[in-house]
Amino acid sequence: MTRYFRDYPARTGDRKLFKMEHYLELYDELLGGWQGRDVSFLEIGVYKGGSLPMWQGFLGPASRLVFLDIDPTCAALALPGTVVEIGDQADPAFLDRIGRAHGPFDLIVDDGGHQMHQQIASFRHLWPQLADRGLYIVEDVHTSYWPGFGGGLREPASFIEFAKDLIDRMHSWYTEDDAGFPLHPLAREIGGIRFHDSLVVIQKRLKEAPVAITAQNGQVVRSRRMLEVRGRRSIF
Ligand SMILES: C[S@@+](CC[C@H](N)C(=O)[O-])C[C@H]1O[C@@H](n2cnc3c(N)ncnc32)[C@H](O)[C@@H]1O
């Protein structure tokens, strides 16, 4: 496994990097397969600009690297080969402009203001700009438990509750309650959701209805019957 992110803090220059330490090991684990690939990348939150060289050194040389921040002084922190856009991550018009100008993205990291309405608005408006098999990463989701950020335990408006709801939407293929739990369009778009300490990762995976297979003696039979069956306790 790569140690790129774990080893990175000791290699920083004069730009300050601001991350939870355990994200670095997680990024080595989660993103190892992306190392050196030419991709389209977006990070919300520039602060002192310390993450720009980190992502630039990890991704391929032809990558498109876009960063955004609400603080106009961050514009001066752009590096050659990167773009820094100034605007509010909760402003739909700004996010739509970012999408039109620079999308679609393979990786999106939200390390911005960490307020509930910001994380949710950014996800809603940037998710359509995430490419198939791309990852949408939200850092510092512990703010979902902080009232000062609009959070609180089981607070319905928190990002954590929003993300838990995505779990249901992803599984809405399998609903037996078409009225109370209808098929949601995100069932066709979410491949997986990972909850880590303070970090949520949502994978885009454009797909048709899941298929069950039976296989024996090399003969594979595919069926979507499980999605047609209603009133059963289990398909198995
Ligand atoms: C935690 S820092 C970013 C750290 C940086 N990504 C790093 O790894 O070193 C958060 C940044 O989010 C920015 N921010 C706060 N509210 C924002 C908003 N509504 N829209 C865009 N950026 C915002 C702040 O100005 C600040 O620079």
Side-chain angles (χ1 to χ4, degrees):
M1 200 206 315
T2 177
R3 291 189 53 92
Y4 176 86
F5 289 102
R6 266 171 295 178
D7 292 344
Y8 189 79
R11 291 190 281 113
T12 44
D14 58 359
R15 288 166 170 249
K16 193 181 286 179
L17 174 72
F18 189 42
K19 294 280 182 215
M20 300 273 270
E21 190 171 30
H22 69 277
Y23 297 169
L24 302 174
E25 186 175 349
L26 262 176
Y27 283 162
D28 281 326
E29 179 189 320
L30 290 172
L31 302 179
W34 296 80
Q35 190 166 15
R37 278 176 57 188
D38 292 328
V39 300
S40 187
F41 172 89
L42 172 69
E43 184 174 33
I44 303 170
V46 173
Y47 186 49
K48 302 295 182 190
S51 67
L52 277 72
M54 180 180 80
W55 292 114
Q56 195 169 38
F58 179 73
L59 298 168
S63 292
R64 184 172 186 78
L65 300 167
V66 183
F67 298 81
L68 65 87
D69 204 289
I70 200 166
D71 178 355
T73 64
C74 290
L77 296 171
L79 290 168
T82 71
V83 176
V84 174
E85 298 273 14
I86 301 303
D88 184 348
Q89 71 169 119
D91 175 4
F94 172 64
L95 296 172
D96 291 345
R97 187 175 74 68
I98 293 292
R100 279 195 305 278
H102 305 293
F105 301 102
D106 300 292
L107 293 172
I108 299 177
V109 178
D110 180 351
D111 186 23
H114 308 309
Q115 298 264 349
M116 303 303 99
H117 71 284
Q118 294 168 338
Q119 291 171 332
I120 292 171
S122 294
F123 179 84
R124 284 211 165 107
H125 290 274
L126 293 173
W127 175 259
Q129 295 298 334
L130 187 68
D132 189 19
R133 296 176 191 247
L135 298 179
Y136 192 104
I137 299 171
V138 186
E139 293 186 354
D140 297 353
V141 297
H142 52 263
T143 58
S144 276
Y145 303 101
W146 292 354
F149 282 69
L153 183 62
R154 306 277 148 74
E155 163 55 50
S158 73
F159 182 80
I160 278 285
E161 292 303 315
F162 177 83
K164 289 182 196 172
D165 196 48
L166 294 179
I167 300 173
D168 295 333
R169 292 172 187 213
M170 176 174 70
H171 287 109
S172 62
W173 296 115
Y174 308 98
T175 179
E176 295 187 347
D177 176 5
D178 289 333
F181 181 27
L183 177 62
H184 192 278
L186 285 175
R188 295 184 194 281
E189 298 180 5
I190 297 179
I193 304 168
R194 293 178 64 142
F195 287 78
H196 296 270
D197 188 326
S198 298
L199 192 115
V200 172
V201 184
I202 304 140
Q203 183 208 37
K204 188 172 251 190
R205 184 76 190 266
L206 301 179
K207 58 190 193 287
E208 291 307 314
V211 170
I213 63 162
T214 51
Q216 193 171 27
N217 297 323
Q219 298 297 310
V220 182
V221 178
R222 297 182 169 80
S223 166
R224 290 203 167 98
R225 194 163 164 267
M226 72 163 99
L227 301 179
E228 295 157 11
V229 174
R230 292 287 182 272
R232 288 201 180 178
R233 288 179 56 236
S234 167
I235 60 154
F236 299 109

